[in-house]
Amino acid sequence: MRDAEVTAAQAYVRLLEATRAVLAEPDETPVYMPLLASPIEEADEALRRAGLAGNEDRLFALVRTLVPGAAAPGR
């Protein structure tokens, strides 16, 4: 696993955790949604640098390496 791939997978995991935190309080979601802009930007850039943009299967394989038991969305 290359450093850029690890960085991209970590950025995705941070985005996922931030999204879960925002959605944990449905009444407050509109207030917190702007806080996702930075993790989204970080993940997008990291995915591009690692050549993983559009390669979800590879990304989710990397995420499962970092977070055992993690499943790809919809699976």
Side-chain angles (χ1 to χ4, degrees):
M1 192 178 329
R2 297 175 306 147
D3 288 344
E5 291 176 333
V6 172
T7 299
Q10 289 171 333
Y12 172 80
V13 170
R14 283 191 293 276
L15 172 59
L16 185 59
E17 290 170 349
T19 302
R20 286 180 176 154
V22 166
L23 296 176
E25 296 294 333
D27 294 338
E28 301 295 324
T29 297
V31 174
Y32 294 119
M33 286 298 285
L35 297 176
L36 294 178
S38 179
I40 289 170
E41 185 177 318
E42 176 194 16
D44 282 346
E45 181 58 29
L47 289 168
R48 274 193 294 281
R49 276 186 269 134
L52 294 172
N55 191 349
E56 291 82 9
D57 288 339
R58 177 71 179 136
L59 171 64
F60 295 133
L62 293 167
V63 169
R64 284 189 297 275
T65 299
L66 293 175
V67 185
R75 295 186 183 164

